[in-house]
Each structure stands twice: as C-alpha cells, then as structure tokens.
Amino acid sequence: MRFSPGTHFNAAGVATVLVAAATPATVSAINTAGIIASAITQDCISWRVSGICYWLMCTPFGCSVKTSVKVTHFIPEVVVSTYTGPGGNPWTEMAFMSGASGTIDNALTSGAPAGGGNAADIKNPGQRKSNIKFKYADAIGHPATSVIGGSIAGYSCDTAATPFNPYFLSTLDSLVWRSGLPESLYPEALVPGQRELGSQASANMWGNIYPRSGFVSQTDDDKASAVVAQRVADIITRSGQPHVYQVLKGTHKAGYWPPGEVKENTGTANHKWQRLSPTLSASCAVFPDGAYPIAQDGNEAYALWQPYSCCKRRGQTFLYSTDF
C-alpha cells in the first residue's frame, strides 16, 4: 500500500514564518513554525564544497570541457515522532493523522486501550516488572525540506522528500508493528550483536533494530523512543520492506548524488538526528547521543537529516567528478 503524494510546501511564506516563530528551549509539543525555524542551523546543514564536476559542452563550433563546483550538505527529510497513544504525535498540526488512520489498530486491539507506553506500569501480583515499552510512530515530510534543499541553484541540492507527506504511520502498519513478524525470525533479530543501536562492548547499548516493531526493551524512555525512531528511518529509506510505508529514496542522476540507506553506528556518513521535542536542539548528532530528560507524556519528535551532493549542469554530458 502506498500513500498519495503530499502537497509541496510553499517556500514563499517561509521568511514570514521564521520571523514570527519563537520556540522555547524545552517544549512538550512543537508546531510547524517551530520545526521550520529549528532547521536553520549550520551544525545540521554542514554545507561544504566537496569537489569539482566536469561536463562536456558541445556547440556547432566544437566541444569543450566545463567545470562546476560540487557541494555537499545535509537536508532535513522527515520528522519522526514516537508517542504512547493514537493522536499523540507531538507535532501538533500532524497529530490528527495517526488518529484518523487508526482503524486497523483499533480492530487489532478490539476497542481496548491502545497499549502504548510502559508495560512496567502495569503491576500484576506474582509477576516480575517488565521493561518492555510500546511506541506508536510517524514519519512525515519535514516542512523545511524544500527550503534547505534546492533553494540556491548550483549551491544546494534538491531533496528527495516531500513536505508534509506521510512516509510511515504505525497505525496503518499495525499487523507488523505490533507482532514483529516476520522480522522476529530474521537473522538480524536472532543473532546477538547484529543491527544494534550502540554496543555492549562500550556499555552503551540502547536497543536492537530488529524486529522493527513498536516494542522496545529499555528502561530509559528517551532511549526507547530513539530506538523506535531509528527503526522507522531504517524502514523508509529501503525498498521492499514488509511494512506499510512509502519509500524515501532519491534517484541518482548526472551531477546529483542522493543519500543511501540509513544505517546505525556509522557516524554521520549517511544520516544524523536533530531533537525537536521535548528538548529542542540547535545541533545534530547520531544515536547514541548521551543522556536526555524523558518526556513527561512519553511523546518525542526528531528530524532526520541526510547528506546530498550535487553540482550545477554546465554541459550536455556529465564526464566525472573529483572529490576533495
């Protein structure tokens, strides 16, 4: 199942929004204006000249080789939100999506409480406490993705994402998101040390990526949310996954190099995260990224940034590029 393409964000009103937006350092929820304002940060964009592109330009008078600057920078592609109940997305304008799409999830739970949050809060006599948490999750196109991407011809790259487009809604993926099947049977889920966020060796293990479901074994709620966000990014940047989602992947073409699949524990080679809620950060990092206060309501939001490289077309044929 695939979603209909979202409506592209009108960049004409961005300047007005940025001036009007005022976002506190710590928030329990965040709105579109605050998300756009938070994207104007050099630490996350990391723009740089990364090489030179060579083009073959031919005219009726002959052919010559032209050059153009190759640039590399990060673009915010989606806002990944994790939350404890349908409609709990901390991105206020988008919270309706999970509630409106919860028909399948409601059927699976037979009208009972949705089952989000911390299972340890449920105390049964004679049973041990559980550290299993369940999170709903959404991945929706970042409202500033077209502002950062492609805003200056030749010096910024086009984004593969569409603003406000729902790439993943866990309430539409309930069969897999709640059961963990078939991914619970994959080697990545069965073999210790494979596809884990952090590592046991460094005593900084946050959780396993597989199975990519809403259930996480983690005592720290902030770390549990980060693991779920990482799982969502893992799903949407790959094709052919056993989930209901829309693929977020750019198409390589002459003079344009979109990012690859998100992979944990690789540094900032293919992605980084910006915390939006409950702590709004002006910087980006990869998970594990230290200790942060937990959200009182269990709802958190992160911006997924990925690196793009591109250069301005200077001829009919792209020859090659050199990197610095």
Side-chain angles (χ1 to χ4, degrees):
M1 177 177 180
R2 299 180 68 85
F3 299 98
S4 299
T7 302
H8 283 275
F9 184 77
N10 181 6
V14 168
T16 303
V17 172
L18 292 179
V19 172
T23 310
T26 303
V27 292
S28 57
I30 193 166
N31 58 27
T32 299
I35 294 174
I36 295 173
S38 71
I40 311 302
T41 165
Q42 180 52 38
D43 181 77
C44 294
I45 297 174
S46 301
W47 185 94
R48 64 185 178 90
V49 175
S50 57
I52 299 175
C53 293
Y54 299 85
W55 304 85
L56 182 64
M57 167 67 83
C58 293
T59 69
F61 305 100
C63 295
S64 62
V65 175
K66 302 289 185 180
T67 62
S68 60
V69 173
K70 182 178 182 180
V71 299
T72 297
H73 63 91
F74 282 75
I75 297 175
E77 295 184 303
V78 293
V79 174
V80 179
S81 304
T82 65
Y83 48 97
T84 59
N89 189 331
W91 183 359
T92 55
E93 293 91 344
M94 298 293 109
F96 75 93
M97 283 194 177
S98 62
S101 62
T103 304
I104 298 176
D105 192 79
N106 290 336
L108 288 176
T109 55
S110 301
N118 190 351
D121 293 336
I122 304 174
K123 298 178 181 178
N124 297 318
Q127 294 187 1
R128 298 179 63 183
K129 263 177 82 171
S130 170
N131 292 323
I132 301 297
K133 301 176 187 292
F134 179 80
K135 299 283 186 180
Y136 291 88
D138 296 339
I140 299 173
H142 197 290
T145 190
S146 298
V147 178
I148 305 300
S151 57
I152 305 175
Y155 293 95
S156 65
C157 307
D158 292 333
T159 178
T162 301
F164 304 107
N165 189 54
Y167 288 93
F168 180 83
L169 300 175
S170 62
T171 49
L172 289 179
D173 188 48
S174 289
L175 290 174
V176 179
W177 195 248
R178 285 186 171 276
S179 69
L181 295 174
E183 294 179 351
S184 296
L185 305 177
Y186 287 10
E188 295 92 334
L190 299 174
V191 180
Q194 289 197 25
R195 302 304 310 275
E196 294 174 343
L197 188 57
S199 70
Q200 297 282 8
S202 62
N204 197 24
M205 171 67 170
W206 281 22
N208 55 293
I209 302 299
Y210 277 76
R212 294 171 299 181
S213 72
F215 289 97
V216 185
S217 178
Q218 173 59 253
T219 58
D220 187 294
D221 197 63
D222 175 72
K223 295 177 181 178
S225 292
V227 171
V228 171
Q230 189 77 34
R231 291 175 178 176
V232 171
D234 196 88
I235 293 170
I236 65 175
T237 57
R238 289 168 168 79
S239 302
Q241 305 304 295
H243 291 266
V244 179
Y245 73 108
Q246 181 170 340
V247 180
L248 173 57
K249 182 180 291 188
T251 302
H252 173 74
K253 58 185 178 182
Y256 178 72
W257 297 266
E261 302 166 342
V262 165
K263 183 71 180 291
E264 72 284 353
N265 302 337
T266 58
T268 59
N270 59 33
H271 78 286
K272 51 188 177 181
W273 294 98
Q274 180 185 16
R275 290 176 174 267
L276 300 177
S277 172
T279 301
L280 179 58
S281 175
S283 61
C284 285
V286 292
F287 303 139
D289 62 342
Y292 284 83
I294 65 172
Q296 294 303 310
D297 57 5
N299 304 333
E300 303 197 22
Y302 315 84
L304 173 67
W305 293 69
Q306 284 198 277
Y308 288 73
S309 296
C310 61
C311 53
K312 186 176 182 179
R313 177 176 289 274
R314 292 290 309 279
Q316 294 92 344
T317 304
F318 176 77
L319 298 175
Y320 61 94
S321 68
T322 57
D323 294 331
F324 298 152

